[in-house]
PDB file of all heavy atoms in Angstrom:
ATOM      1  N   LYS S   5     106.291  80.334 106.432  1.00  0.00           N
ATOM      2  CA  LYS S   5     105.721  79.094 105.839  1.00  0.00           C
ATOM      3  C   LYS S   5     104.215  79.149 105.761  1.00  0.00           C
ATOM      4  O   LYS S   5     103.704  78.689 104.802  1.00  0.00           O
ATOM      5  CB  LYS S   5     106.167  77.923 106.757  1.00  0.00           C
ATOM      6  CG  LYS S   5     106.179  76.626 106.180  1.00  0.00           C
ATOM      7  CD  LYS S   5     107.282  76.577 105.038  1.00  0.00           C
ATOM      8  CE  LYS S   5     107.235  75.227 104.291  1.00  0.00           C
ATOM      9  NZ  LYS S   5     108.109  75.255 103.015  1.00  0.00           N
ATOM     10  N   GLU S   6     103.563  79.751 106.772  1.00  0.00           N
ATOM     11  CA  GLU S   6     102.121  79.849 106.744  1.00  0.00           C
ATOM     12  C   GLU S   6     101.682  80.800 105.499  1.00  0.00           C
ATOM     13  O   GLU S   6     100.702  80.467 104.772  1.00  0.00           O
ATOM     14  CB  GLU S   6     101.624  80.388 107.974  1.00  0.00           C
ATOM     15  CG  GLU S   6     101.627  79.382 109.181  1.00  0.00           C
ATOM     16  CD  GLU S   6     101.273  80.013 110.449  1.00  0.00           C
ATOM     17  OE1 GLU S   6     101.627  81.225 110.667  1.00  0.00           O
ATOM     18  OE2 GLU S   6     100.713  79.292 111.356  1.00  0.00           O
ATOM     19  N   PHE S   7     102.473  81.915 105.389  1.00  0.00           N
ATOM     20  CA  PHE S   7     102.181  82.726 104.319  1.00  0.00           C
ATOM     21  C   PHE S   7     102.222  82.024 102.951  1.00  0.00           C
ATOM     22  O   PHE S   7     101.468  82.270 102.051  1.00  0.00           O
ATOM     23  CB  PHE S   7     103.058  83.993 104.299  1.00  0.00           C
ATOM     24  CG  PHE S   7     102.707  85.021 103.439  1.00  0.00           C
ATOM     25  CD1 PHE S   7     101.889  86.075 103.847  1.00  0.00           C
ATOM     26  CD2 PHE S   7     103.121  85.106 102.178  1.00  0.00           C
ATOM     27  CE1 PHE S   7     101.492  87.183 103.053  1.00  0.00           C
ATOM     28  CE2 PHE S   7     102.806  86.202 101.256  1.00  0.00           C
ATOM     29  CZ  PHE S   7     101.921  87.158 101.768  1.00  0.00           C
ATOM     30  N   GLU S   8     103.372  81.260 102.787  1.00  0.00           N
ATOM     31  CA  GLU S   8     103.587  80.546 101.522  1.00  0.00           C
ATOM     32  C   GLU S   8     102.496  79.521 101.277  1.00  0.00           C
ATOM     33  O   GLU S   8     101.945  79.488 100.181  1.00  0.00           O
ATOM     34  CB  GLU S   8     104.857  79.765 101.574  1.00  0.00           C
ATOM     35  CG  GLU S   8     105.222  78.924 100.344  1.00  0.00           C
ATOM     36  CD  GLU S   8     106.371  78.122 100.456  1.00  0.00           C
ATOM     37  OE1 GLU S   8     107.289  78.506 101.294  1.00  0.00           O
ATOM     38  OE2 GLU S   8     106.437  77.050  99.859  1.00  0.00           O
ATOM     39  N   GLU S   9     102.051  78.803 102.269  1.00  0.00           N
ATOM     40  CA  GLU S   9     101.040  77.717 102.062  1.00  0.00           C
ATOM     41  C   GLU S   9      99.575  78.270 102.108  1.00  0.00           C
ATOM     42  O   GLU S   9      98.835  77.738 101.376  1.00  0.00           O
ATOM     43  CB  GLU S   9     101.286  76.737 103.190  1.00  0.00           C
ATOM     44  CG  GLU S   9     102.636  75.935 103.112  1.00  0.00           C
ATOM     45  CD  GLU S   9     102.797  75.075 104.203  1.00  0.00           C
ATOM     46  OE1 GLU S   9     101.963  75.057 105.182  1.00  0.00           O
ATOM     47  OE2 GLU S   9     103.801  74.358 104.260  1.00  0.00           O
ATOM     48  N   LEU S  10      99.247  79.221 102.815  1.00  0.00           N
ATOM     49  CA  LEU S  10      97.896  79.741 103.104  1.00  0.00           C
ATOM     50  C   LEU S  10      97.518  80.955 102.334  1.00  0.00           C
ATOM     51  O   LEU S  10      96.489  81.187 101.736  1.00  0.00           O
ATOM     52  CB  LEU S  10      97.616  79.883 104.497  1.00  0.00           C
ATOM     53  CG  LEU S  10      97.839  78.634 105.357  1.00  0.00           C
ATOM     54  CD1 LEU S  10      97.609  78.917 106.922  1.00  0.00           C
ATOM     55  CD2 LEU S  10      96.950  77.454 104.876  1.00  0.00           C
ATOM     56  N   THR S  11      98.586  81.927 102.271  1.00  0.00           N
ATOM     57  CA  THR S  11      98.142  83.295 101.824  1.00  0.00           C
ATOM     58  C   THR S  11      98.464  83.484 100.278  1.00  0.00           C
ATOM     59  O   THR S  11      97.722  84.099  99.579  1.00  0.00           O
ATOM     60  CB  THR S  11      98.912  84.359 102.620  1.00  0.00           C
ATOM     61  OG1 THR S  11      98.606  84.139 104.030  1.00  0.00           O
ATOM     62  CG2 THR S  11      98.321  85.764 102.313  1.00  0.00           C
ATOM     63  N   LEU S  12      99.646  82.978  99.899  1.00  0.00           N
ATOM     64  CA  LEU S  12     100.037  83.093  98.493  1.00  0.00           C
ATOM     65  C   LEU S  12      98.961  82.551  97.491  1.00  0.00           C
ATOM     66  O   LEU S  12      98.664  83.192  96.524  1.00  0.00           O
ATOM     67  CB  LEU S  12     101.305  82.400  98.201  1.00  0.00           C
ATOM     68  CG  LEU S  12     102.657  83.211  98.409  1.00  0.00           C
ATOM     69  CD1 LEU S  12     103.878  82.380  98.142  1.00  0.00           C
ATOM     70  CD2 LEU S  12     102.650  84.480  97.643  1.00  0.00           C
ATOM     71  N   PRO S  13      98.355  81.390  97.817  1.00  0.00           N
ATOM     72  CA  PRO S  13      97.336  80.929  96.884  1.00  0.00           C
ATOM     73  C   PRO S  13      96.132  81.829  96.785  1.00  0.00           C
ATOM     74  O   PRO S  13      95.476  82.066  95.733  1.00  0.00           O
ATOM     75  CB  PRO S  13      96.776  79.536  97.514  1.00  0.00           C
ATOM     76  CG  PRO S  13      98.031  79.194  98.321  1.00  0.00           C
ATOM     77  CD  PRO S  13      98.668  80.433  98.819  1.00  0.00           C
ATOM     78  N   ARG S  14      95.765  82.534  97.950  1.00  0.00           N
ATOM     79  CA  ARG S  14      94.682  83.545  97.818  1.00  0.00           C
ATOM     80  C   ARG S  14      95.065  84.677  97.022  1.00  0.00           C
ATOM     81  O   ARG S  14      94.216  85.219  96.189  1.00  0.00           O
ATOM     82  CB  ARG S  14      94.333  84.125  99.326  1.00  0.00           C
ATOM     83  CG  ARG S  14      93.735  83.139 100.222  1.00  0.00           C
ATOM     84  CD  ARG S  14      93.389  83.710 101.529  1.00  0.00           C
ATOM     85  NE  ARG S  14      92.748  82.934 102.466  1.00  0.00           N
ATOM     86  CZ  ARG S  14      91.390  82.661 102.574  1.00  0.00           C
ATOM     87  NH1 ARG S  14      90.672  83.343 101.673  1.00  0.00           N
ATOM     88  NH2 ARG S  14      90.902  81.915 103.473  1.00  0.00           N
ATOM     89  N   ILE S  15      96.270  85.157  97.106  1.00  0.00           N
ATOM     90  CA  ILE S  15      96.779  86.370  96.234  1.00  0.00           C
ATOM     91  C   ILE S  15      96.719  85.908  94.787  1.00  0.00           C
ATOM     92  O   ILE S  15      96.408  86.638  93.878  1.00  0.00           O
ATOM     93  CB  ILE S  15      98.184  86.787  96.679  1.00  0.00           C
ATOM     94  CG1 ILE S  15      98.156  87.261  98.207  1.00  0.00           C
ATOM     95  CG2 ILE S  15      98.727  87.860  95.828  1.00  0.00           C
ATOM     96  CD1 ILE S  15      99.445  87.394  98.831  1.00  0.00           C
ATOM     97  N   LYS S  16      97.185  84.690  94.507  1.00  0.00           N
ATOM     98  CA  LYS S  16      97.272  84.231  93.078  1.00  0.00           C
ATOM     99  C   LYS S  16      95.753  84.142  92.529  1.00  0.00           C
ATOM    100  O   LYS S  16      95.478  84.697  91.510  1.00  0.00           O
ATOM    101  CB  LYS S  16      97.870  82.884  93.024  1.00  0.00           C
ATOM    102  CG  LYS S  16      97.745  82.176  91.731  1.00  0.00           C
ATOM    103  CD  LYS S  16      98.656  82.885  90.665  1.00  0.00           C
ATOM    104  CE  LYS S  16      98.637  82.163  89.306  1.00  0.00           C
ATOM    105  NZ  LYS S  16      99.461  82.942  88.294  1.00  0.00           N
ATOM    106  N   ALA S  17      94.890  83.592  93.373  1.00  0.00           N
ATOM    107  CA  ALA S  17      93.455  83.497  92.968  1.00  0.00           C
ATOM    108  C   ALA S  17      92.858  84.905  92.717  1.00  0.00           C
ATOM    109  O   ALA S  17      91.958  85.077  91.883  1.00  0.00           O
ATOM    110  CB  ALA S  17      92.718  82.760  93.937  1.00  0.00           C
ATOM    111  N   ALA S  18      93.327  85.921  93.449  1.00  0.00           N
ATOM    112  CA  ALA S  18      92.782  87.248  93.470  1.00  0.00           C
ATOM    113  C   ALA S  18      93.310  88.015  92.172  1.00  0.00           C
ATOM    114  O   ALA S  18      92.776  88.964  91.778  1.00  0.00           O
ATOM    115  CB  ALA S  18      93.174  88.016  94.619  1.00  0.00           C
ATOM    116  N   GLY S  19      94.388  87.450  91.501  1.00  0.00           N
ATOM    117  CA  GLY S  19      94.764  88.021  90.267  1.00  0.00           C
ATOM    118  C   GLY S  19      95.892  88.971  90.365  1.00  0.00           C
ATOM    119  O   GLY S  19      96.411  89.452  89.326  1.00  0.00           O
ATOM    120  N   TYR S  20      96.489  89.345  91.508  1.00  0.00           N
ATOM    121  CA  TYR S  20      97.589  90.214  91.707  1.00  0.00           C
ATOM    122  C   TYR S  20      98.841  89.633  91.090  1.00  0.00           C
ATOM    123  O   TYR S  20      99.068  88.440  91.274  1.00  0.00           O
ATOM    124  CB  TYR S  20      97.704  90.690  93.152  1.00  0.00           C
ATOM    125  CG  TYR S  20      96.680  91.476  93.599  1.00  0.00           C
ATOM    126  CD1 TYR S  20      95.440  90.933  94.135  1.00  0.00           C
ATOM    127  CD2 TYR S  20      96.619  92.950  93.556  1.00  0.00           C
ATOM    128  CE1 TYR S  20      94.359  91.751  94.498  1.00  0.00           C
ATOM    129  CE2 TYR S  20      95.653  93.719  93.949  1.00  0.00           C
ATOM    130  CZ  TYR S  20      94.486  93.106  94.488  1.00  0.00           C
ATOM    131  OH  TYR S  20      93.356  93.887  94.859  1.00  0.00           O
ATOM    132  N   ASN S  21      99.689  90.478  90.471  1.00  0.00           N
ATOM    133  CA  ASN S  21     100.971  89.954  89.901  1.00  0.00           C
ATOM    134  C   ASN S  21     102.233  90.232  90.703  1.00  0.00           C
ATOM    135  O   ASN S  21     103.260  89.841  90.437  1.00  0.00           O
ATOM    136  CB  ASN S  21     101.122  90.294  88.490  1.00  0.00           C
ATOM    137  CG  ASN S  21     101.153  91.885  88.293  1.00  0.00           C
ATOM    138  OD1 ASN S  21     101.563  92.553  89.190  1.00  0.00           O
ATOM    139  ND2 ASN S  21     100.762  92.321  87.083  1.00  0.00           N
ATOM    140  N   THR S  22     102.041  90.984  91.799  1.00  0.00           N
ATOM    141  CA  THR S  22     103.121  91.485  92.604  1.00  0.00           C
ATOM    142  C   THR S  22     102.630  91.573  94.187  1.00  0.00           C
ATOM    143  O   THR S  22     101.566  91.926  94.428  1.00  0.00           O
ATOM    144  CB  THR S  22     103.573  92.830  92.251  1.00  0.00           C
ATOM    145  OG1 THR S  22     103.876  92.917  90.787  1.00  0.00           O
ATOM    146  CG2 THR S  22     104.853  93.277  92.988  1.00  0.00           C
ATOM    147  N   ILE S  23     103.628  91.035  95.030  1.00  0.00           N
ATOM    148  CA  ILE S  23     103.349  91.273  96.424  1.00  0.00           C
ATOM    149  C   ILE S  23     104.434  92.129  97.016  1.00  0.00           C
ATOM    150  O   ILE S  23     105.617  92.129  96.542  1.00  0.00           O
ATOM    151  CB  ILE S  23     103.306  89.946  97.205  1.00  0.00           C
ATOM    152  CG1 ILE S  23     104.571  89.115  97.157  1.00  0.00           C
ATOM    153  CG2 ILE S  23     102.083  89.096  96.898  1.00  0.00           C
ATOM    154  CD1 ILE S  23     104.635  87.926  98.011  1.00  0.00           C
ATOM    155  N   GLN S  24     104.012  93.029  97.868  1.00  0.00           N
ATOM    156  CA  GLN S  24     104.991  93.908  98.533  1.00  0.00           C
ATOM    157  C   GLN S  24     105.071  93.544 100.072  1.00  0.00           C
ATOM    158  O   GLN S  24     104.082  93.691 100.758  1.00  0.00           O
ATOM    159  CB  GLN S  24     104.512  95.398  98.417  1.00  0.00           C
ATOM    160  CG  GLN S  24     105.411  96.426  99.054  1.00  0.00           C
ATOM    161  CD  GLN S  24     104.852  97.801  99.009  1.00  0.00           C
ATOM    162  OE1 GLN S  24     104.506  98.237  97.856  1.00  0.00           O
ATOM    163  NE2 GLN S  24     104.664  98.428 100.147  1.00  0.00           N
ATOM    164  N   LEU S  25     106.230  92.981 100.362  1.00  0.00           N
ATOM    165  CA  LEU S  25     106.417  92.424 101.743  1.00  0.00           C
ATOM    166  C   LEU S  25     106.995  93.601 102.626  1.00  0.00           C
ATOM    167  O   LEU S  25     107.949  94.105 102.488  1.00  0.00           O
ATOM    168  CB  LEU S  25     107.351  91.293 101.717  1.00  0.00           C
ATOM    169  CG  LEU S  25     106.896  89.940 101.090  1.00  0.00           C
ATOM    170  CD1 LEU S  25     107.883  88.905 101.345  1.00  0.00           C
ATOM    171  CD2 LEU S  25     105.532  89.527 101.680  1.00  0.00           C
ATOM    172  N   MET S  26     106.123  93.776 103.745  1.00  0.00           N
ATOM    173  CA  MET S  26     106.539  94.705 104.765  1.00  0.00           C
ATOM    174  C   MET S  26     107.293  93.959 105.819  1.00  0.00           C
ATOM    175  O   MET S  26     107.120  92.720 105.992  1.00  0.00           O
ATOM    176  CB  MET S  26     105.347  95.390 105.366  1.00  0.00           C
ATOM    177  CG  MET S  26     104.407  95.987 104.278  1.00  0.00           C
ATOM    178  SD  MET S  26     102.919  96.649 105.126  1.00  0.00           S
ATOM    179  CE  MET S  26     103.550  97.799 106.305  1.00  0.00           C
ATOM    180  N   ALA S  27     108.092  94.774 106.632  1.00  0.00           N
ATOM    181  CA  ALA S  27     108.645  94.186 107.914  1.00  0.00           C
ATOM    182  C   ALA S  27     109.532  93.056 107.721  1.00  0.00           C
ATOM    183  O   ALA S  27     109.536  92.130 108.605  1.00  0.00           O
ATOM    184  CB  ALA S  27     107.480  93.941 108.968  1.00  0.00           C
ATOM    185  N   VAL S  28     110.257  92.914 106.699  1.00  0.00           N
ATOM    186  CA  VAL S  28     111.275  91.834 106.464  1.00  0.00           C
ATOM    187  C   VAL S  28     112.474  92.074 107.231  1.00  0.00           C
ATOM    188  O   VAL S  28     113.050  91.112 107.815  1.00  0.00           O
ATOM    189  CB  VAL S  28     111.535  91.624 104.970  1.00  0.00           C
ATOM    190  CG1 VAL S  28     112.598  90.581 104.792  1.00  0.00           C
ATOM    191  CG2 VAL S  28     110.181  91.315 104.244  1.00  0.00           C
ATOM    192  N   MET S  29     113.044  93.219 107.335  1.00  0.00           N
ATOM    193  CA  MET S  29     114.264  93.534 107.934  1.00  0.00           C
ATOM    194  C   MET S  29     114.096  93.482 109.416  1.00  0.00           C
ATOM    195  O   MET S  29     113.010  93.868 109.884  1.00  0.00           O
ATOM    196  CB  MET S  29     114.863  94.927 107.465  1.00  0.00           C
ATOM    197  CG  MET S  29     114.903  95.043 105.968  1.00  0.00           C
ATOM    198  SD  MET S  29     115.006  96.740 105.471  1.00  0.00           S
ATOM    199  CE  MET S  29     116.685  96.939 105.478  1.00  0.00           C
ATOM    200  N   GLU S  30     114.941  92.967 110.159  1.00  0.00           N
ATOM    201  CA  GLU S  30     114.859  92.761 111.576  1.00  0.00           C
ATOM    202  C   GLU S  30     114.616  94.028 112.376  1.00  0.00           C
ATOM    203  O   GLU S  30     115.198  95.097 112.166  1.00  0.00           O
ATOM    204  CB  GLU S  30     116.106  92.010 112.159  1.00  0.00           C
ATOM    205  CG  GLU S  30     115.916  91.579 113.601  1.00  0.00           C
ATOM    206  CD  GLU S  30     114.865  90.508 113.692  1.00  0.00           C
ATOM    207  OE1 GLU S  30     115.128  89.302 113.487  1.00  0.00           O
ATOM    208  OE2 GLU S  30     113.732  90.927 114.064  1.00  0.00           O
ATOM    209  N   HIS S  31     113.540  93.889 113.168  1.00  0.00           N
ATOM    210  CA  HIS S  31     113.133  95.059 114.005  1.00  0.00           C
ATOM    211  C   HIS S  31     112.728  94.551 115.419  1.00  0.00           C
ATOM    212  O   HIS S  31     112.024  93.542 115.567  1.00  0.00           O
ATOM    213  CB  HIS S  31     112.031  95.865 113.426  1.00  0.00           C
ATOM    214  CG  HIS S  31     110.911  94.869 112.951  1.00  0.00           C
ATOM    215  ND1 HIS S  31     111.033  94.044 111.906  1.00  0.00           N
ATOM    216  CD2 HIS S  31     109.573  94.724 113.460  1.00  0.00           C
ATOM    217  CE1 HIS S  31     109.896  93.365 111.698  1.00  0.00           C
ATOM    218  NE2 HIS S  31     108.991  93.710 112.614  1.00  0.00           N
ATOM    219  N   PRO S  32     113.332  95.124 116.497  1.00  0.00           N
ATOM    220  CA  PRO S  32     112.927  94.576 117.764  1.00  0.00           C
ATOM    221  C   PRO S  32     111.544  94.755 118.275  1.00  0.00           C
ATOM    222  O   PRO S  32     111.043  93.914 118.998  1.00  0.00           O
ATOM    223  CB  PRO S  32     113.969  95.379 118.741  1.00  0.00           C
ATOM    224  CG  PRO S  32     114.492  96.476 117.856  1.00  0.00           C
ATOM    225  CD  PRO S  32     114.288  96.286 116.474  1.00  0.00           C
ATOM    226  N   TYR S  33     110.833  95.887 117.882  1.00  0.00           N
ATOM    227  CA  TYR S  33     109.565  96.182 118.306  1.00  0.00           C
ATOM    228  C   TYR S  33     108.562  95.730 117.198  1.00  0.00           C
ATOM    229  O   TYR S  33     108.487  96.338 116.240  1.00  0.00           O
ATOM    230  CB  TYR S  33     109.329  97.630 118.795  1.00  0.00           C
ATOM    231  CG  TYR S  33     107.955  97.968 119.139  1.00  0.00           C
ATOM    232  CD1 TYR S  33     107.308  97.110 120.068  1.00  0.00           C
ATOM    233  CD2 TYR S  33     107.388  99.154 118.798  1.00  0.00           C
ATOM    234  CE1 TYR S  33     105.932  97.511 120.515  1.00  0.00           C
ATOM    235  CE2 TYR S  33     106.132  99.502 119.227  1.00  0.00           C
ATOM    236  CZ  TYR S  33     105.447  98.621 120.089  1.00  0.00           C
ATOM    237  OH  TYR S  33     104.137  99.025 120.474  1.00  0.00           O
ATOM    238  N   TYR S  34     107.680  94.686 117.475  1.00  0.00           N
ATOM    239  CA  TYR S  34     106.781  94.203 116.449  1.00  0.00           C
ATOM    240  C   TYR S  34     105.811  95.258 116.077  1.00  0.00           C
ATOM    241  O   TYR S  34     105.515  95.363 114.888  1.00  0.00           O
ATOM    242  CB  TYR S  34     106.054  92.964 117.151  1.00  0.00           C
ATOM    243  CG  TYR S  34     105.212  92.211 116.076  1.00  0.00           C
ATOM    244  CD1 TYR S  34     105.591  91.847 114.789  1.00  0.00           C
ATOM    245  CD2 TYR S  34     103.882  91.847 116.511  1.00  0.00           C
ATOM    246  CE1 TYR S  34     104.733  91.228 113.978  1.00  0.00           C
ATOM    247  CE2 TYR S  34     103.084  91.076 115.696  1.00  0.00           C
ATOM    248  CZ  TYR S  34     103.497  90.702 114.424  1.00  0.00           C
ATOM    249  OH  TYR S  34     102.666  90.115 113.626  1.00  0.00           O
ATOM    250  N   GLY S  35     105.488  96.140 117.023  1.00  0.00           N
ATOM    251  CA  GLY S  35     104.393  97.122 116.740  1.00  0.00           C
ATOM    252  C   GLY S  35     104.872  98.243 115.865  1.00  0.00           C
ATOM    253  O   GLY S  35     104.098  99.100 115.440  1.00  0.00           O
ATOM    254  N   SER S  36     106.196  98.282 115.525  1.00  0.00           N
ATOM    255  CA  SER S  36     106.747  99.354 114.665  1.00  0.00           C
ATOM    256  C   SER S  36     106.309  99.117 113.197  1.00  0.00           C
ATOM    257  O   SER S  36     106.585  99.947 112.320  1.00  0.00           O
ATOM    258  CB  SER S  36     108.238  99.404 114.728  1.00  0.00           C
ATOM    259  OG  SER S  36     108.834  98.389 114.138  1.00  0.00           O
ATOM    260  N   PHE S  37     105.597  97.993 112.912  1.00  0.00           N
ATOM    261  CA  PHE S  37     105.244  97.676 111.416  1.00  0.00           C
ATOM    262  C   PHE S  37     106.510  97.435 110.597  1.00  0.00           C
ATOM    263  O   PHE S  37     106.456  97.464 109.307  1.00  0.00           O
ATOM    264  CB  PHE S  37     104.449  98.752 110.902  1.00  0.00           C
ATOM    265  CG  PHE S  37     103.113  98.178 110.168  1.00  0.00           C
ATOM    266  CD1 PHE S  37     101.902  99.014 110.387  1.00  0.00           C
ATOM    267  CD2 PHE S  37     103.140  97.101 109.533  1.00  0.00           C
ATOM    268  CE1 PHE S  37     100.811  98.407 109.775  1.00  0.00           C
ATOM    269  CE2 PHE S  37     101.933  96.606 108.936  1.00  0.00           C
ATOM    270  CZ  PHE S  37     100.719  97.326 108.980  1.00  0.00           C
TER     271      PHE S  37
END
């Protein structure tokens, strides 16, 4: 939710047409990226 509300507008303003989302699939260790 924070990414949608706070980060997406920055990316749009920066002019990028694609985002590549990392770490979407469930992983037990946060530090594994």
Side-chain angles (χ1 to χ4, degrees):
K5 203 67 187 169
E6 288 172 328
F7 191 93
E8 176 185 334
E9 295 174 354
L10 302 175
T11 311
L12 274 181
R14 289 184 179 273
I15 298 169
K16 175 65 176 176
Y20 290 85
N21 60 28
T22 306
I23 58 173
Q24 178 184 307
L25 291 184
M26 306 173 63
V28 172
M29 306 161 88
E30 190 60 86
H31 49 289
Y33 179 44
Y34 187 45
S36 74
F37 230 136

